[in-house]
Amino acid sequence: MMKSILALVLGTLSFAALADDQANDALVKRGEYLARAGDCVACHSVKGGQPFAGGLPMATPIGTIYSTNITPDKTTGIGDYSYDDFQKAVRHGVAKNGDTLYPAMPYPSYAVVSDEDMKALYAYFMHGVAPVAQANKDSDIPWPLSMRWPLAIWRGMFAPDVKAFQPAAQEDPVLARGRYLVEGLGHCGACHTPRSITMQEKALSNDGAHDYLSGSSAPIDGWTASNLRGDNRDGLGRWSEDDLRQFLRYGRNDHTAAFGGMTDVVEHSLQHLSDDDITAIARYLKSLGAKDASQTVFTQDDTVAKALWKGDDSQAGASVYVDSCAACHKTDGSGYQRFFPALRGNPVVLADDPTSLIHIVLTGGTLPGVQGAPTAITMPAFGWRLNDQQVADVVNFIRGSWGNGAKATVTAKDVASLRKDETVQAHQGNADIKVLEQQ
């Protein structure tokens, strides 16, 4: 009898332990998904380095900072962080030692992340990430600008109180989920919302703020982040919800293709999200009104296309376009559906700031293959063979043709200035290496 009771007790304990293990595994797996949604790996890893080991340089107006090691290594990472230490860093912007984090860490957005999701993230970083012994790099910001106490003042002025996200009364659950992901873990506003002179985002949500997600106020690493609101020319007003799903999932649709830092977001984050979450994000973005309701809808004009078809390339920039661009983007600017993006009516081309268009002409770019769209799309760099005036001419030609309607405002001086940007030079250097390897 005693043996039977003992066996029953041991069996119960074993079952309980197994259940605990399965629950912990599920929590870690959930945390991994949430870390994907937050694209943590993009900032806390360097190309060719170990995931989450930090060291990625981030240029700021006052110097370069480097992302930190967030692996569970106890000496150089966050292995000795308690859950409370972890959530304070992520949601409050305060490190274990009490230092305020640089707002390159989007803790103002993460302030809305729920306790449940925070616990899953903590489980993942403690038990699902391999520890890496890699010391953190000091910033290149000179003293006295490198002092941390002003950051605490900034945090007190501009970081919101930590308050878990709550759906609005009678809010569509799909819309609420999309809002939670965009405003919170997705931290889309960190790039796509303009910032004030004191570097805080002008809005952290859409609550009465048409600045929210209306596009970056200045280039980031030589790129401008697009307007994600419902504007008819440079925003998403002409996109359907399905267009948005296509772009989020694959980084390409009938209107455009991802470029710059957005390619990393698609590759490391968005392609791994569930169909339900992709739909939720798309639906929320489509719910945003226009920042400028007076914008006129893009209207196609085939005057330039007819001229090029007849061999008339006398317009400034036209001959460069025919020689270098038309094979992929066609003489009518329509491109090839979901492969080489259209240039006519493309919101990036229609944006007031031409920086991104100049940058991609100079350095090219590659949209990596993803699940469901395995073919990588590469645009070659032209900066190595086009001079500043030629680049300016072809950018003006693209921005003014097929109904795009922009005036010829880009100058050779603008191109030269961007060409000198350290980030653009790095991209150009990589492009030059590829050219040499192909010769």
Side-chain angles (χ1 to χ4, degrees):
M1 183 67 176
M2 290 298 295
K3 290 182 178 179
S4 297
I5 294 173
L6 181 60
L8 180 61
V9 170
L10 292 175
T12 301
L13 292 174
S14 297
F15 180 80
L18 177 61
D20 285 343
D21 286 344
Q22 289 176 336
N24 289 335
D25 288 345
L27 192 64
V28 170
K29 194 70 177 174
R30 174 66 179 165
E32 180 181 15
Y33 179 85
L34 295 169
R36 292 273 196 188
D39 200 14
C40 306
V41 72
C43 288
H44 289 277
S45 309
V46 296
K47 189 173 183 179
Q50 295 296 312
F52 305 112
L56 184 74
M58 300 179 183
T60 76
I62 58 174
T64 301
I65 61 176
Y66 298 88
S67 63
T68 54
N69 183 341
I70 57 171
T71 73
D73 181 73
K74 289 186 177 296
T75 303
T76 62
I78 60 172
D80 64 346
Y81 271 47
S82 67
Y83 168 71
D84 192 51
D85 294 331
F86 180 79
Q87 70 87 21
K88 281 181 179 176
V90 175
R91 295 193 293 193
H92 297 256
V94 180
K96 182 180 174 67
N97 66 1
D99 283 347
T100 294
L101 303 179
Y102 287 103
M105 168 69 174
Y107 60 85
S109 296
Y110 293 159
V112 302
V113 176
S114 68
D115 291 338
E116 180 184 20
D117 284 351
M118 284 302 307
K119 289 173 182 176
L121 283 165
Y122 179 71
Y124 171 62
F125 280 105
M126 291 299 125
H127 304 292
V129 173
V132 179
Q134 178 173 299
N136 291 313
K137 292 184 177 181
D138 293 331
S139 76
D140 293 337
I141 299 173
W143 188 88
L145 297 176
S146 60
M147 292 189 296
R148 291 276 183 162
W149 64 265
L151 293 174
I153 297 174
W154 187 96
R155 175 168 53 84
M157 293 176 63
F158 303 121
D161 293 332
V162 172
K163 188 177 181 180
F165 176 89
Q166 291 293 331
Q170 300 181 330
E171 185 176 16
D172 173 7
V174 176
L175 204 66
R177 175 63 178 173
R179 186 162 65 87
Y180 174 65
L181 290 169
V182 170
E183 294 179 2
L185 280 173
H187 62 281
C188 304
C191 289
H192 290 274
T193 297
R195 292 180 181 264
S196 299
I197 192 170
T198 42
M199 295 307 294
Q200 83 278 15
E201 295 163 49
K202 289 186 175 180
L204 292 169
S205 72
N206 190 46
D207 295 340
H210 286 177
D211 280 322
Y212 184 61
L213 299 182
S214 63
S216 58
S217 50
I220 303 169
D221 291 336
W223 304 101
T224 52
S226 303
N227 180 358
L228 302 183
R229 301 188 67 87
D231 296 81
N232 284 320
R233 284 185 62 80
D234 61 359
L236 306 181
R238 291 174 288 122
W239 291 26
S240 67
E241 186 178 303
D242 187 57
D243 290 333
L244 260 171
R245 283 197 296 266
Q246 288 277 344
F247 182 80
L248 295 169
R249 174 69 73 203
Y250 309 119
R252 61 201 79 175
N253 61 16
D254 293 348
H255 300 276
T256 192
F259 58 86
M262 193 64 195
T263 61
D264 292 333
V265 177
V266 173
E267 180 179 15
H268 299 302
S269 177
L270 292 173
Q271 70 158 320
H272 301 285
L273 299 191
S274 68
D275 289 340
D276 285 345
D277 279 349
I278 288 292
T279 295
I281 293 171
R283 189 162 301 174
Y284 172 65
L285 291 177
K286 279 302 295 179
S287 76
L288 301 178
K291 179 179 181 180
D292 180 5
S294 66
Q295 277 191 3
T296 56
V297 179
F298 166 79
T299 302
Q300 183 178 329
D301 183 335
D302 61 358
T303 302
V304 169
K306 288 179 177 178
L308 294 182
W309 182 256
K310 294 176 181 178
D312 180 3
D313 61 358
S314 58
Q315 186 176 339
S319 60
V320 175
Y321 180 84
V322 171
D323 290 343
S324 303
C325 314
C328 296
H329 299 285
K330 297 184 181 179
T331 52
D332 65 357
S334 63
Y336 289 86
Q337 192 175 49
R338 297 178 191 172
F339 204 78
F340 298 125
L343 297 178
R344 70 182 188 201
N346 187 314
V348 177
V349 176
L350 296 175
D352 290 337
D353 191 332
T355 299
S356 289
L357 191 56
I358 299 170
H359 190 161
I360 203 164
V361 171
L362 289 173
T363 68
T366 296
L367 177 61
V370 295
Q371 301 173 39
T375 302
I377 300 174
T378 297
M379 174 173 164
F382 292 97
W384 65 278
R385 69 179 182 84
L386 297 180
N387 62 37
D388 294 339
Q389 188 60 58
Q390 289 173 314
V391 172
D393 286 344
V394 76
V395 168
N396 283 327
F397 176 80
I398 292 167
R399 283 167 53 79
S401 298
W402 314 298
N404 290 341
K407 295 180 179 179
T409 58
V410 178
T411 66
K413 185 177 179 180
D414 295 330
V415 178
S417 178
L418 189 60
R419 204 191 283 265
K420 291 176 182 177
D421 183 278
E422 289 184 5
T423 304
V424 176
Q425 284 183 344
H427 292 165
Q428 182 63 59
N430 292 335
D432 290 343
I433 291 171
K434 289 179 182 179
V435 169
L436 292 172
E437 288 174 344
Q438 294 168 358
Q439 289 179 345

